[in-house]
Amino acid sequence: MINPLLIPILGISCGLLAIIGGVFIKPWLALQQRKMELEAQMVAEKAAQYAAQTERLEQRVRVLERIVTDRGIDVADEIEKLRDAPLN
């Protein structure tokens, strides 16, 4: 049989748990969510920076490939001419 004093104690305990949850746990969860949002934002910014850097490097490689393939022979001739040129 249930003790009659147990019912009010359980009721008060449930109320206290709800108050504690609202005062402490809810703000803590909101803080954790905000931290995760900020971290996700920082990661997205870093990814954008890396993407931009990668794009710049790819453009430079394309230019170098074009120089090597389009003017490879001309560049070699120019280098040889510079080697043979007298120093002033």
Side-chain angles (χ1 to χ4, degrees):
M1 185 162 188
I2 298 177
N3 190 350
L5 289 175
L6 191 60
I7 295 173
I9 291 173
L10 287 176
I12 292 171
S13 298
C14 288
L16 288 174
L17 284 175
I19 291 171
I20 290 172
V23 171
F24 296 109
I25 295 174
K26 188 175 179 182
W28 181 79
L29 289 174
L31 176 66
Q32 296 303 316
Q33 181 178 357
R34 181 68 180 144
K35 283 182 182 178
M36 289 187 340
E37 289 170 357
L38 290 174
E39 187 175 333
Q41 183 180 2
M42 288 179 5
V43 168
E45 289 174 5
K46 276 285 192 196
Q49 290 174 356
Y50 288 139
Q53 183 179 8
T54 301
E55 179 62 30
R56 286 191 302 271
L57 291 173
E58 286 176 353
Q59 288 175 356
R60 292 178 72 181
V61 168
R62 278 190 227 113
V63 169
L64 291 172
E65 287 174 341
R66 195 171 359 161
I67 290 170
V68 168
T69 58
D70 294 348
R71 295 183 37 203
I73 296 172
D74 295 336
V75 170
D77 291 341
E78 289 177 26
I79 291 172
E80 289 303 319
K81 286 179 189 177
L82 289 173
R83 285 186 187 162
D84 295 338
L87 298 174
N88 291 331

